[in-house]
Amino acid sequence: MKKSIISLAVLAASVGGFASSASAVSVDWSQDSGYVFNSVTPQTGGIANAGPVAAMGGDARYDALWWGNSNPVRGTTSAVSPITTVIGAANNVVSATAAPFTTDATPESSVKVVSLNSGPGINMLTSGAGLIPISQVFHSNQTISSDSSGLLTSGIVRSDLTIDGNLTGINDVLFKFFETPNSDSNYNCPDGSGISCDIFQLAVGGFGSTPINIGGTNYSLSFALIGVSPNAFVINPGDTWGNSSCQAGNFCMLSKEGFVNWFAVGMRLDEVPEPGSLALLGLGLFGMGAAFRRRKTNG
């Protein structure tokens, strides 16, 4: 029995040593994001844009969009952002307000994406250190008149991510947007305020992991929705809120009417164990199991 306990301790120490043997790596990064419409996400007319920014993947890309209120001058003003944002240290949102950018100074509903970057005093990407914010998506949720047409219904957030000076390839996050009725209790926000919420459905597929090699070592980039503003809410697929509006295969965010709301997308970097190391770990775990069995038999 004593021998079994000693053997188990040695095996546990060896496995623990393996698990902690990898040294962390820190790299800089940048992201270039924008909204795209194409055959996958067709969008009818009536959507104005503050852009376009440089095309990517064969499609035009825009950093901001606006719609609603049947404004006859939509799209005729200068290409300025309909949402004013300030991003502070560690890529946190300092402020976000609707900008009176139309000629009649009336804010319309709008969305804006802010691509974040690392740099002095801003998050570097460190392996094994968890999620850091890499982009912020904003929604200025304004009341839409009942006779409005050409509302936002779908699109793609298309991003180009650079890690340690190397492009990781284009990533698409498909989304559907539902401009809910202004007075329908089925779509009241879950905070009990009696104010309606609009719905973003973000396809899970756009948050998949991406393999990357840094200095000859294999890593995995993974992505997640990591936070929302005080007047935004996350619901799960199949939730009964809004007539079960959050469909399977989507992350869903609710945006409260009358506010500028936002959500953050995060990224993490983790080392991928080599096949040989995985085999060694497996042998160690097998040995631990054998030691447990011997201990039980000898006891």
Side-chain angles (χ1 to χ4, degrees):
M1 179 179 176
K2 184 176 181 179
K3 182 179 179 181
S4 297
I5 294 174
I6 293 173
S7 300
L8 181 60
V10 171
L11 283 167
S14 65
V15 172
F18 161 78
S20 61
S21 62
S23 57
V25 61
S26 293
V27 294
D28 60 2
W29 55 275
S30 64
Q31 184 173 224
D32 182 14
S33 298
Y35 297 102
V36 164
F37 303 126
N38 58 23
S39 58
V40 178
T41 58
Q43 177 66 57
T44 59
I47 306 298
N49 62 76
V53 294
M56 181 184 294
D59 296 304
R61 222 163 23 115
Y62 312 96
D63 60 7
L65 310 166
W66 62 92
W67 66 94
N69 291 334
S70 299
N71 193 325
V73 297
R74 181 184 302 135
T76 64
T77 57
S78 61
V80 296
S81 175
I83 304 174
T84 301
T85 58
V86 178
I87 306 294
N91 288 325
N92 65 303
V93 180
V94 175
S95 64
T97 56
F101 65 99
T102 55
T103 55
D104 64 359
T106 303
E108 296 188 295
S109 283
S110 54
V111 289
K112 176 180 180 179
V113 58
V114 174
S115 304
L116 304 178
N117 300 282
S118 64
I122 304 177
N123 288 332
M124 297 287 286
L125 180 61
T126 301
S127 60
L131 290 157
I132 61 170
I134 59 170
S135 62
Q136 300 277 357
V137 179
F138 299 85
H139 176 220
S140 178
N141 192 346
Q142 305 295 325
T143 301
I144 301 298
S145 59
S146 60
D147 60 347
S148 290
S149 60
L151 304 179
L152 180 69
T153 60
S154 64
I156 293 171
V157 178
R158 178 165 292 176
S159 301
D160 209 350
L161 181 64
T162 300
I163 302 291
D164 199 28
N166 299 308
L167 289 172
T168 64
I170 293 174
N171 182 64
D172 283 351
V173 178
L174 280 69
F175 70 88
K176 293 182 180 180
F177 176 72
F178 180 30
E179 185 84 53
T180 61
N182 296 329
S183 56
D184 187 333
S185 59
N186 286 313
Y187 302 104
N188 284 350
C189 298
D191 61 355
S193 62
I195 299 174
S196 64
C197 270
D198 292 343
I199 309 168
F200 285 91
Q201 290 195 143
L202 308 166
V204 171
F207 292 84
S209 61
T210 300
I212 185 174
N213 187 281
I214 302 174
T217 301
N218 292 322
Y219 294 87
S220 175
L221 288 170
S222 54
F223 307 89
L225 183 64
I226 61 173
V228 296
S229 58
N231 291 297
F233 314 88
V234 176
I235 59 174
N236 298 315
D239 193 300
T240 56
W241 183 92
N243 295 323
S244 301
S245 299
C246 189
Q247 301 171 358
N250 295 274
F251 296 113
C252 295
M253 190 201 81
L254 308 181
S255 176
K256 193 173 184 178
E257 191 169 288
F259 295 87
V260 176
N261 307 301
W262 65 88
F263 60 89
V265 176
M267 170 179 65
R268 65 178 295 156
L269 180 69
D270 294 289
E271 184 175 348
V272 178
E274 296 294 333
S277 299
L278 288 173
L280 179 62
L281 177 60
L283 286 173
L285 293 174
F286 176 79
M288 290 176 69
F292 272 121
R293 287 192 296 274
R294 286 196 301 271
R295 178 181 177 186
K296 184 175 181 180
T297 300
N298 294 338

